Amino acid sequence: LKHHIMHLTELWYGSARGGNLSILYSWFVEAMEVLGVTAYEYNKLPIQPSPDGWAVVVDGAARKKALISRSGSDKSYVATGGVAQKQGRSAIDNTVLRNVFFPWEARDLLVGRLLRKYLSRLLSLRQRCILRRLAQHFQLDVLRLAQDSRTHNTLRSVLAATPKEEFEAMGLDPEDPLLQLLRRSGAEVAGFGQLDETMQRNVWEAA
């Protein structure tokens, strides 16, 4: 029974030996983590597996701390061009309880979303220039490292070990917010939610 259950689990969640029926769901979860929609990345929480491997204990204190850090997310969302949410973050949330969704709210949400996507694209292009200089200097495909969630930690480690003088020798400003973002996350900018609150507000006000 144990082996049968393990086989079914591998088929559903995907493995080298099984199928990959939930690959779209897995991709969606990873995308939400990278974009900063979720309060934390699950694989960064301290966990302790049971001796038989059937259960995993998650560090509740670390999870609680991550959730508390998101308590002011709506306030920062509004400060960076979003519409104040009555029940939740999405347009669907705003139609559930009060059952009224005004045209001006729809317009603000749609226009704001397009603007944030456009700004994110500009930031991504700027970050690509930084990644090209890093690639030439290190003789390493850092763009691939920045685009693959499995190698974000590798890129963070490489950049953390690089002194400011070396960045300056490449013609990069060590205090550049996009370079600092790369050093913190190891990920290429793919959405506005990846930026911290201060950077979101600065970009939005500048636009």
Side-chain angles (χ1 to χ4, degrees):
L1 178 61
K2 172 185 174 182
H3 292 299
H4 181 64
I5 293 173
M6 287 295 292
H7 177 64
L8 291 177
T9 303
E10 289 172 352
L11 286 175
W12 179 250
Y13 288 102
S15 75
R17 293 172 293 170
N20 215 357
L21 302 181
S22 63
I23 187 66
L24 180 60
Y25 176 76
S26 299
W27 173 87
F28 183 74
V29 170
E30 282 192 21
M32 294 302 98
E33 290 177 348
V34 169
L35 291 173
V37 174
T38 55
Y40 52 82
E41 292 184 37
Y42 184 77
N43 61 5
K44 290 184 179 178
L45 291 178
I47 60 173
Q48 181 178 352
S50 62
D52 59 7
W54 281 93
V56 173
V57 178
V58 179
D59 188 329
R63 183 175 180 273
K64 182 179 180 181
K65 183 178 179 182
L67 290 171
I68 289 175
S69 68
R70 297 286 291 185
S71 59
S73 60
D74 187 55
K75 187 181 294 184
S76 63
Y77 179 68
V78 173
T80 54
V83 173
Q85 307 295 293
K86 278 73 177 178
Q87 284 83 45
R89 282 288 298 271
S90 73
I92 293 176
D93 289 333
N94 276 319
T95 63
V96 175
L97 298 180
R98 62 193 177 106
N99 204 29
V100 176
F101 190 52
F102 296 107
W104 69 266
E105 291 179 307
R107 183 175 62 252
D108 284 357
L109 281 172
L110 292 171
V111 173
R113 178 174 177 271
L114 289 173
L115 279 173
R116 282 188 287 273
K117 287 183 69 175
Y118 175 72
L119 292 172
S120 298
R121 183 57 181 160
L122 289 179
L123 294 174
S124 177
L125 291 173
R126 165 62 184 151
Q127 206 173 54
R128 286 283 182 97
C129 296
I130 294 174
L131 288 166
R132 286 196 188 97
R133 291 201 180 188
L134 292 171
Q136 290 173 357
H137 180 79
F138 293 121
Q139 293 297 298
L140 186 68
D141 190 358
V142 293
L143 180 59
R144 181 185 61 80
L145 297 179
Q147 291 178 334
D148 189 337
S149 61
R150 295 169 299 181
T151 54
H152 289 167
N153 286 334
T154 303
L155 182 56
R156 275 201 299 265
S157 299
V158 170
L159 296 180
T162 306
K164 290 185 177 181
E165 295 77 15
E166 197 167 344
F167 286 121
E168 291 170 350
M170 297 181 226
L172 298 174
D173 179 4
E175 303 304 321
D176 187 324
L178 289 175
L179 178 57
Q180 292 294 327
L181 182 62
L182 270 177
R183 298 186 74 179
R184 286 196 305 272
S185 67
E188 182 184 21
V189 172
F192 208 65
Q194 281 175 269
L195 311 179
D196 59 40
E197 182 182 339
T198 303
M199 193 172 181
Q200 285 188 30
R201 186 182 294 109
N202 291 341
V203 170
W204 188 258
E205 290 175 353

